[in-house]
Amino acid sequence: DEKDGQAAALGYKADTTKVDNKKFTSHKPDQNCANCALFQGKAGDKAGGCPLFAGKQAAAAGWCSAYAKKA
Ligand code: SF4
C-alpha cells in the first residue's frame, strides 16, 4: 500500500513509471523491485517480500527510494 507509513516515507510506488523523478532524482525508469537487491520474490513473480516492508508485498514493477541495484 503506497499510503502505508513506511511506504509513503520511502516514496514507494507500485508502478516505477509513476515515481516523481523531481523528488527522487536517483530514480531511473529501468529500476524496479524485480531488479532490486532487496526483492525476495522469484524471477517472474508479480510481487514479493521486501525486508523493508515486513509482512507486506512489494510489486515487481514497483520502486522505492531504498532501491539498490541487484549485482
Ligand atoms: Fe522495491 Fe527494493 Fe524498495 Fe524493496 S527496497 S520496495 S524491493 S525498490
Side-chain angles (χ1 to χ4, degrees):
D1 183 349
E2 295 174 0
K3 295 190 183 68
D4 180 65
Q6 172 83 337
L10 289 171
Y12 172 78
K13 291 285 179 199
D15 178 350
T16 192
T17 67
K18 301 284 195 313
V19 173
D20 183 348
N21 290 316
K22 290 199 179 72
K23 192 167 173 196
F24 299 104
T25 52
S26 67
H27 175 256
K28 303 274 183 305
D30 65 335
Q31 297 175 343
N32 56 44
C33 293
N35 62 35
C36 173
L38 280 70
F39 188 66
Q40 295 171 330
K42 296 190 294 296
D45 284 354
K46 290 219 178 330
C50 170
L52 297 182
F53 302 104
K56 304 216 164 89
Q57 296 263 298
W63 186 89
C64 90
S65 59
Y67 175 86
K69 192 175 169 55
K70 197 182 274 181

